[in-house]
Amino acid sequence: DLKYDPMESQTQIIPILIGDSDRTMAISAFLYDRGIYLSGIRPPTVPEGQSRLRLTLMASHSEEDIQQLLEGVAEVKKVYF
């Protein structure tokens, strides 16, 4: 419902395409300050214009963790898009 692009991931590692590397790193820092770790991946690791956040889901994540993530990425939409 949040309209992020998960790049058709079929694994527990879900890349969330942002595009701009500066915005990607700002979003990563924004979420980190809220207790959510989504690492920013940018060139040269990925092509220019393909910067993304790397979300890794694990069985150890609780329902509360998932809710915190959803609230954090919803807040990102309001601030960065």
Side-chain angles (χ1 to χ4, degrees), residues 16-62:
I16 301 172
L17 182 64
I18 303 299
D20 179 76
S21 61
D22 290 337
R23 186 182 332 174
T24 299
M25 299 314 291
I27 291 170
S28 179
F30 179 86
L31 291 169
Y32 186 81
D33 288 345
R34 285 152 181 76
I36 303 165
Y37 181 67
L38 269 70
S39 57
I41 310 299
R42 59 189 168 172
T45 306
V46 296
E48 195 68 43
Q50 296 289 309
S51 293
R52 61 200 70 181
L53 300 170
R54 180 175 288 160
L55 168 63
T56 304
L57 295 175
M58 298 181 290
S60 61
H61 285 121
S62 67

